[in-house]
Every structure is written in C-alpha cells, then in structure tokens.
Amino acid sequence: MSGTFVGMPSFPKAAREAVGDTTLRANLRHATHTIRDKRARAVAELDDWAALREAGKRIKDDTLRHLDTYLVRLEAAVTAAGGTVHWAADAAEANRIVTALVRATGETEVVKVKSMATQEIGLNEHLEAEGIAAYETDLAELIVQLGEDRPSHILVPAIHRNRAEIRDIFAQKMGSWGRPAPDGLSDTPAELAEAARLHLREKFLRAKVGISGANFMVAETGTLVVVESEGNGRMCLTLPETLISVVGIEKVVPTWRDLEVFLQTLPRSSTAERMNPYTSMWTGTTDEDGPSAFHLVLLDNGRTDALADEVGRQALRCIRCSACLNVCPVYERAGGHAYGSVYPGPIGAILTPQLRGTSSEIDASLPYASSLCGACYEVCPVAIDIPEVLVHLRERVAEEGGKGHRLEKAAIKAASWVLDRPNALAAGERLASATRKVHPKRLPGPGARQWSDHRDLPELPAEPFRDWWRKNRP
C-alpha cells in the first residue's frame, strides 16, 4: 500500500464517506477530546508558554533562512562522529539508498521506529517489493500494519480503532507476522500491550538492522534525537548492528540550547506530558555501545520547493506534535484517511500540497479541507499560521485553473466587468428584481446544491436599493 495514498478521491468525496461511519466518529471524538483537554492542562502549568512558543518560532525561522549552512555543519559533525550522510532529493532516491544499505548487510528484515518520513516515501512498501520485511514496533503503528490499514493521526496512527477492533486484529493477524497473540486475549489495555510486547520482543532480539526517523538533529554536534512514550524506539536504536535514519532536512536545529526549547513544547503539545518518558540521543557510533554503523539519509522530497514560498514555508516549522488535529472540527468528523496523506489534519492540508504539488485531485482539494476557524493556529507550539497558508494555497490552486476553478475564474471575471460598469450593474439589479418570483429555491449543480440544502437563499427585494433611494430620498 502506498504511503502517500496518491490516487485517492478528493477530500470532499473521502470525507463524505468517513462522516457516515458512526463508529469512526465516536472513536475520533472520544480520543481527540481526551488528548486536547490533557494538553490544555499541561500547557497551563507553564507561565512562559507564550515566550517558549515565540522562541520556537524564531529558532525555526532562523534555521530555515540559513538551512544550507546548518545542513553542511550537520553533515560534517555526523561524519566526524563516525556516521555516513546520504542526500536524497526525492522519495525514489531515498528508497534506493535505504534498500542498498540494508542489502549490504545481508539481512532481509528490519525493525522500525515510528517515522513519518519513511511513511511519506512509502519505504515499507518499497522494501517489501525488494524482499525485505520491515516490522513496525510502535504499538499504534503495529496495529495499523497488522490490520493492513493506513495511519490516520500523526501521534496516534490507530486513533480510528477502538479496543475491541484492536483485539480482533491481534488475534487474527499476529500469528502470520511472528509470535501469535495469547489465547483468550481480552480488550483490556494491559493485555493488549502485553501481547504486543511479547510479539515484538523476539524481533528486537533478532534484528540486525534498525530504521528510524528523528524528531530533531543538532547541527553543532551531529546528534539525532528521538522522543517516544513506549521504549520500543530505544530498542530499535540500540540493539541492531546497523542503524539507518531517514530524516527531513527541516528537522535540523543549530544548537543544544535551541533543542531545549522544543523538549519543553513538544511533549506538552503532543502527549500532554511534562517530558517524554524516553528521549534517546545518539551521535555517530562508538565501540562500546549501540550500532557499529550509522547512516543518516537527509530527505528533501519537496521541502526546498516549500522553502522557496515565503508564505508556505512556515509549514516547515512543524514539529509533528499533532495538536492541530486534536482541535480541528473538520478532522474530528472526517478522520485522517480522508486527507489522502500520512500528514492529515490542518498541518497536512498545508504541508502535503507543498511537498507533492497540487496536480492531483486530492492535493488540490486539501487547502479547502478547513473551516478557517483558526483553532489550529492557537494551539500550534511554533505559531504556524495555518489559516493564512490555507488561503494562500487556495489562491494558488485557483490560479492553476484546476477542476471547478475554470468556471469560478470565468464568473469572477464576469462579475468584475459588471461591477466596473454602474449602468450594467443597475440594469442587472432591476432584471433580478423583476424576475424574483421565478428564482429557484436551491442552487444548481451538485456542489452548490449541497450548500443550499442547509441554507436558505436570500430573497431579492421588489426593487433595487438605488431605485428605492431615488424615490424616498430625493
């Protein structure tokens, strides 16, 4: 299954089906409300949250302005520490690099830390096609993989599943991937977690190759950072002999002092914790501990194109906390699958069209997958003005004249002509008033008809305002 989901229907079509799934809506409502309420309490504990948010924004913006400098500095530091750096312009090149690195070890299976970047490039599917099994070890990612499903949330990929569904997936699928689920498995969280632990333990102890992403990369020392809540990531990062990390180029921060800001804001915004239970950091290789070979694959895949857009580039500040998803009324009702990307919700609506372009139906529809209420901006720990970028991308889509926009552009052009000519406008107003009794109650066309199904069209007055004014205010 493609990790990018290109070829899916546009957001309105996909969302319409999702909204009709009452179980999905109940799962999403319960989960998102629980997470966002906990986050609000965690953030309220810090008197300087606004200052931390502004600091994170400034650090990210400065880093993006000088990204070339910091990436070169990062490469030098990683190399000096015993690692090897590879540059991947796109998903295809990144997949080729990782596949070649795994094959060089002679292994045919890898264990993986939860990674949005590897999902973005469809790495698991590529490795499978090359005869290499990739095992997800994050609990939620394991659920998604065993269920032959797609992630629907940045932080909680299986948020659309309830406990009963997870129990059924474990009972039916675990055996074909390794150690089967225990007989009589219930849907209690403790039993489900224990089943996953036993299933994954043998993979951790056997695997010789680990694949990860990274939450941050510190340019001054070449250190990579992974934050997590379960400990599976640390098993993948320390036990294998070879570690391959695929990381987007925007994840670099200049110094450890800069990192300290994000280690305060990320856990509170994502898991509503004061700090992550597991924060793993590694710098190159050592003879005494951890993998003996480390490879860093720096991924572009549309990021430099986004960087060139003065408005859209702020999406690259994203630290993948998912706070915007948990407050979004559209995401809560439609779920993550409707976005056709590994980046769902408000951030996905602005990031995906910049990484992939807007030539496909799904990507062109994403900037419209929002009510522009602004809740996403209010909770963003790096102050990404998502509504501003959404409007900016809508303008780009309209200018490209995609499906539905040719008629829109023609209508706007005609309206501009009329509004520039007072006599023509007055004649049109009189004609509209004279024919008001035969005006339809609903707008024509499928899209417009849906709009007027829930709204009354305004009734036109018996005469235009300018004519009334001449009669009553001579």
Side-chain angles (χ1 to χ4, degrees):
M1 182 180 296
S2 171
T4 51
F5 320 144
V6 171
M8 280 190 61
S10 64
F11 180 85
K13 294 178 182 177
R16 190 178 303 116
E17 181 179 345
V19 168
D21 188 334
T22 55
T23 300
L24 172 66
R25 291 187 63 177
N27 293 346
L28 289 170
R29 186 184 308 110
H30 172 74
T32 56
H33 283 235
T34 299
I35 296 171
R36 77 190 192 193
D37 290 345
K38 289 175 62 180
R39 177 202 171 275
R41 291 193 294 271
V43 167
E45 294 179 349
L46 294 181
D47 293 333
D48 61 344
W49 178 259
L52 284 169
R53 185 178 190 242
E54 180 64 20
K57 172 187 174 182
R58 289 175 181 249
I59 291 168
K60 280 289 188 176
D61 282 347
D62 180 72
T63 305
L64 291 171
R65 278 194 295 270
H66 306 285
L67 189 58
D68 54 345
T69 299
Y70 292 121
L71 288 175
V72 171
R73 189 175 301 172
L74 173 73
E75 179 184 32
V78 170
T79 304
T84 304
V85 177
H86 310 263
W87 299 81
D90 54 27
E93 186 172 9
N95 285 330
R96 286 195 301 269
I97 291 170
V98 175
T99 301
L101 292 173
V102 176
R103 280 184 169 163
T105 67
E107 296 296 317
T108 58
E109 63 179 25
V110 301
V111 289
K112 290 184 74 248
V113 185
K114 180 180 182 297
S115 165
M116 302 298 294
T118 59
Q119 291 174 357
E120 175 189 327
I121 64 176
L123 179 62
N124 287 10
E125 294 75 21
H126 182 83
L127 290 176
E128 182 181 6
E130 297 294 329
I132 300 170
Y135 299 116
E136 296 289 351
T137 63
D138 174 83
L139 177 56
E141 292 288 359
L142 175 66
I143 295 166
V144 169
Q145 186 175 50
L146 292 178
E148 298 179 353
D149 201 352
R150 298 190 306 268
S152 63
H153 192 277
I154 290 176
L155 179 68
V156 193
I159 195 172
H160 56 290
R161 297 290 192 182
N162 58 38
R163 293 185 303 179
E165 292 173 315
I166 295 169
R167 176 201 57 206
D168 293 342
I169 290 172
F170 281 8
Q172 296 167 13
K173 297 296 181 67
M174 267 188 172
S176 60
W177 285 77
R179 178 168 179 155
D183 293 334
L185 179 67
S186 77
D187 65 356
T188 62
E191 286 197 33
L192 294 174
E194 178 66 6
R197 188 187 71 82
L198 294 173
H199 176 80
L200 292 171
R201 176 68 54 166
E202 63 177 21
K203 299 190 187 307
F204 289 137
L205 298 177
R206 186 178 66 233
K208 302 296 183 183
V209 180
I211 295 179
S212 81
N215 294 95
F216 306 100
M217 303 180 290
V218 184
E220 69 177 344
T221 58
T223 302
L224 273 70
V225 183
V226 165
V227 296
E228 46 152 344
S229 300
E230 300 171 11
N232 62 292
R234 184 162 294 176
M235 300 286 278
C236 292
L237 296 169
T238 57
L239 291 179
E241 297 172 0
T242 299
L243 174 60
I244 304 167
S245 299
V246 182
V247 190
I249 56 176
E250 81 281 13
K251 294 297 187 71
V252 66
V253 296
T255 67
W256 280 85
R257 186 175 182 179
D258 298 322
L259 175 65
E260 183 266 341
V261 172
F262 300 110
L263 291 184
Q264 294 185 72
T265 55
L266 177 57
R268 290 177 186 268
S269 284
S270 58
T271 56
E273 296 167 302
R274 296 180 179 91
M275 66 178 292
N276 291 95
Y278 297 90
T279 301
S280 300
M281 304 179 183
W282 68 100
T283 306
T285 60
T286 65
D287 295 331
E288 296 82 14
D289 189 25
S292 57
F294 169 57
H295 297 270
L296 171 60
V297 181
L298 291 172
L299 178 68
D300 186 331
N301 204 37
R303 286 160 174 79
T304 53
D305 291 336
L307 189 61
D309 188 323
E310 293 185 2
V311 177
R313 71 174 58 147
Q314 59 185 299
L316 297 178
R317 291 184 207 147
C318 178
I319 57 175
R320 310 291 192 267
C321 70
S322 74
C324 61
L325 281 70
N326 300 325
V327 298
C328 178
V330 177
Y331 174 86
E332 180 186 323
R333 288 157 179 79
H337 291 160
Y339 293 82
S341 168
V342 298
Y343 303 112
I347 187 61
I350 65 171
L351 184 60
T352 301
Q354 295 191 84
L355 296 181
R356 297 198 311 215
T358 55
S359 58
S360 71
E361 186 179 8
I362 178 67
D363 293 322
S365 70
L366 287 179
Y368 297 88
S370 171
S371 65
L372 299 179
C373 69
C376 50
Y377 170 67
E378 295 299 324
V379 299
C380 178
V382 286
I384 301 172
D385 193 340
I386 293 178
E388 177 188 31
V389 183
L390 285 168
V391 173
H392 172 68
L393 292 175
R394 289 180 185 185
E395 181 181 3
R396 179 193 298 179
V397 172
E399 287 177 350
E400 291 174 354
K403 183 178 179 181
H405 292 287
R406 296 183 182 88
L407 180 60
E408 178 186 27
K409 290 181 72 173
I412 291 174
K413 187 175 181 180
S416 299
W417 186 92
V418 172
L419 292 173
D420 280 341
R421 293 161 175 80
N423 291 336
L425 177 61
E429 289 172 344
R430 293 189 184 101
L431 178 63
S433 293
T435 59
R436 66 192 185 102
K437 292 186 181 297
V438 296
H439 289 179
K441 300 298 183 182
R442 299 172 63 195
L443 295 171
R449 191 178 302 122
Q450 289 172 8
W451 188 90
S452 56
D453 277 346
H454 306 284
R455 300 168 178 84
D456 293 329
L457 289 178
E459 291 187 9
L460 288 174
E463 60 181 342
F465 174 76
R466 67 180 70 211
D467 290 351
W468 178 92
W469 183 267
R470 290 192 183 98
K471 293 178 182 178
N472 294 280
R473 297 288 189 273

